Amino acid sequence: MGTLNYIKNFFRDKNVASVTPSSKFTVNQVIRRVVTDRPVTVIEYGPGDGVITKPLLKAIHKESTLIVIETNEDFINQLNQIDDPRLKVYRDTAEKVDEIATNEHIPKADHIISGIPFSFLEPDVREELLTKTLDLLGEDGTFIAYQTSKHLKPFLEKTFSDVKLETEYRNIPPMCIYEAFGSK
Ligand SMILES: C[S@@+](CC[C@H](N)C(=O)[O-])C[C@H]1O[C@@H](n2cnc3c(N)ncnc32)[C@H](O)[C@@H]1O
């Protein structure tokens, strides 16, 4: 069902950018980078049908908060079916993350996770979103992004002081997993 759903949405909405959800190996690569032994605030850009959101809710502390921001209506309908009081679903663009965080009274996040296709964003929009992302992270906060190419690394390095990149080959196509920390 997951892949059929992505194919259908891919042809209707170019921003979906993938004909298949992230593999379970990519999902694990993201979740293992998240703190799970204390309450955390997590923001997810581009959750799609919730392929990461659902296992993330299983993994994080029961007093955590997870805010997901997704543009695609069909995916929003699926995300709205997840019954978990810790989850807040926004149909909006990740570029509005600062307004959404203010609305949710969230001064800082522990992790921001992103699957949105950064290569589709205009350079100024991309830079502004990365700056907003850094500004929203607490002192030990991390930005975890997964993309199918290495193009994001230099842009992350302009904003964050430390950027790590690992490739998960058990994904079609192979997935670059970025983890960025600290202010430049
Ligand atoms: C490559 S898919 C990733 C979906 C899912 N998280 C996964 O791991 O398979 C990218 C997702 O980001 C959403 N998206 C694209 N641009 C966005 C934006 N600017 N703000 C929020 N969501 C966006 C798309 O609708 C799509 O669901």
Side-chain angles (χ1 to χ4, degrees):
M1 177 61 197
T3 298
L4 277 179
N5 198 17
Y6 273 72
I7 291 173
K8 186 182 78 182
N9 281 300
F10 175 80
F11 285 111
R12 288 181 183 160
D13 174 0
K14 74 167 178 58
N15 287 324
V16 169
S18 174
V19 291
T20 182
S22 292
S23 72
K24 68 176 183 196
F25 302 102
T26 294
V27 173
N28 289 339
Q29 285 276 13
V30 172
I31 291 178
R32 75 177 179 79
R33 291 172 163 81
V34 173
V35 169
T36 55
D37 60 358
R38 60 170 169 83
V40 285
T41 299
V42 184
I43 302 173
E44 185 183 5
Y45 305 156
D49 66 351
V51 62
I52 291 175
T53 315
K54 290 180 217 170
L56 184 59
L57 283 165
K58 285 206 176 101
I60 56 178
H61 192 279
K62 62 181 180 358
E63 282 158 36
S64 297
T65 300
L66 174 58
I67 292 166
V68 298
I69 311 172
E70 169 60 56
T71 48
N72 183 279
E73 186 181 8
D74 194 34
F75 288 146
I76 284 288
N77 291 337
Q78 293 171 61
L79 293 162
N80 279 330
Q81 286 169 25
I82 302 172
D83 182 17
D84 191 312
R86 297 171 299 170
L87 178 67
K88 304 275 168 60
V89 178
Y90 276 81
R91 183 178 183 196
D92 216 324
T93 66
E95 294 88 309
K96 298 262 189 70
V97 65
D98 49 342
E99 292 171 34
I100 292 168
T102 302
N103 189 49
E104 289 292 333
H105 308 287
I106 288 173
K108 294 286 174 193
D110 296 282
H111 304 286
I112 298 179
I113 295 171
S114 176
I116 68 168
F118 269 89
S119 58
F120 291 9
L121 301 180
E122 293 297 325
D124 55 331
V125 176
R126 180 184 57 218
E127 195 171 331
E128 194 183 351
L129 178 54
L130 291 177
T131 303
K132 285 181 183 180
T133 299
L134 172 66
D135 289 347
L136 258 174
L137 287 171
E139 206 180 325
D140 298 321
T142 64
F143 179 47
I144 306 160
Y146 51 98
Q147 303 275 286
T148 53
S149 89
K150 294 188 175 151
H151 77 280
L152 191 57
K153 193 159 187 272
F155 305 113
L156 288 173
E157 284 170 343
K158 267 182 80 179
T159 310
F160 293 87
S161 56
D162 190 3
V163 178
K164 294 184 169 40
L165 170 58
E166 200 176 320
T167 304
E168 175 53 70
Y169 291 97
R170 294 166 295 176
N171 195 91
I172 303 170
M175 193 67 91
C176 299
I177 318 281
Y178 301 90
E179 196 174 15
F181 319 75
S183 177
K184 191 83 187 178

